[in-house]
């Protein structure tokens, strides 16, 4: 399968939005610990509590992240803006959750970072690639050459290839998060 080129600038900016909003989420959580606690509760409500079964955790993580990636991909059709908002929201949530776990769970920041890095270095770029896929689809639709139906199809095919790459990366990240991260971070 020939992958279309990933627009590096868009990819990099999506990652910066995530990182920037992670910091914003952390700062908001410092100012309002209740907000951070509610974010953790919402996350647990969304994906369910952590299980004793690594396989069950893997399935939950992969399913949740695949749904986020699908939303990133499809939301690109909304004037190319959807992925930016979703990336910002997810970054905000990560910042809030990190602060909540640090403060309420009395977990050292170093341990939290060890809990994020092993899978996060794959997961976050994979989510960004799904966003790029949606933006690629939108850009082809708007700026491409040829009939509208042809541009739509060409954009969809190129975007879908990137989206599938994202899903494969999310599969790897979920395996790491469910099986490796708990051992590395001592969680």
């Amino acid at each position: 399968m020939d992958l279309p080129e990933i627009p590096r600038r868009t990819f990099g900016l999506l990652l910066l939005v995530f990182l920037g909003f992670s910091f914003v989420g952390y700062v908001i959580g410092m100012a309002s610990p209740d907000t951070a606690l509610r974010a953790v509760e919402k996350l647990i409500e969304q994906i369910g509590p952590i299980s004793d079964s690594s396989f069950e955790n893997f399935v939950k993580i992969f399913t949740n992240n695949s749904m986020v990636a699908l939303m990133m991909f499809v939301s690109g059709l909304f004037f190319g803006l959807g992925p930016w908002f979703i990336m910002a929201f997810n970054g905000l949530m990560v910042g809030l959750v990190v602060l909540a776990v640090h403060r309420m769970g009395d977990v050292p920041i170093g341990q939290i970072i060890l809990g994020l890095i092993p899978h996060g270095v794959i997961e976050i770029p994979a989510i960004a690639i799904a966003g790029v896929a949606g933006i690629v689809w939108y850009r082809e639709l708007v700026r491409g050459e040829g009939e509208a139906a042809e541009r739509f199809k060409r954009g969809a095919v190129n975007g879908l290839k990137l989206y599938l790459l994202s899903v494969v990366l999310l599969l790897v990240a979920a395996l790491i998060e469910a099986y490796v991260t708990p051992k590395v971070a001592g969680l």
Side-chain angles (χ1 to χ4, degrees):
M1 169 172 77
D2 260 352
L3 288 175
E5 187 173 322
I6 297 173
R8 289 188 180 127
R9 182 170 183 240
T10 303
F11 176 72
L13 289 173
L14 278 169
L15 291 176
L16 282 176
V17 164
F18 178 85
L19 290 173
F21 274 87
S22 294
F23 178 74
V24 168
Y26 190 86
V27 170
I28 289 171
M30 286 176 61
S32 175
D34 289 342
T35 302
L37 184 58
R38 284 194 302 275
V40 171
E41 289 169 349
K42 179 137 179 84
L43 185 65
I44 290 170
E45 185 179 297
Q46 181 183 349
I47 62 172
I50 296 172
S51 169
D52 290 335
S53 164
S54 294
F55 180 74
E56 190 176 314
N57 290 331
F58 161 73
V59 170
K60 284 181 186 179
I61 293 163
F62 179 68
T63 301
N64 181 66
N65 291 339
S66 294
M67 294 307 297
V68 170
L70 182 61
M71 288 188 318
M72 290 283 283
F73 177 51
V74 173
S75 74
L77 290 176
F78 296 104
F79 309 105
L81 297 175
W84 301 98
F85 291 109
I86 294 170
M87 206 67 168
F89 175 77
N90 279 300
L92 189 73
M93 290 298 289
V94 165
L96 287 168
V97 168
V98 164
L99 182 81
V101 169
H102 173 62
R103 281 215 173 140
M104 286 121 203
D106 203 23
V107 179
I109 287 291
Q111 189 175 5
I112 294 170
I113 290 171
L114 280 174
L116 293 174
I117 287 181
H119 67 276
V121 296
I122 298 171
E123 182 179 300
I124 304 309
I127 296 291
I129 289 171
V132 167
I135 293 168
V136 162
W137 187 3
Y138 172 74
R139 286 180 182 165
E140 182 61 36
L141 183 61
V142 175
R143 299 178 188 164
E145 295 181 17
E147 298 290 322
E150 180 184 315
R151 293 190 318 259
F152 183 87
K153 181 181 175 188
R154 190 172 49 240
V157 167
N158 286 334
L160 193 57
K161 288 176 182 179
L162 290 175
Y163 170 73
L164 292 175
L165 170 64
S166 170
V167 170
V168 169
L169 291 172
L170 288 173
L171 182 71
V172 172
L175 284 167
I176 293 169
E177 188 172 359
Y179 291 97
V180 177
T181 295
K183 289 175 181 52
V184 170
L187 300 173

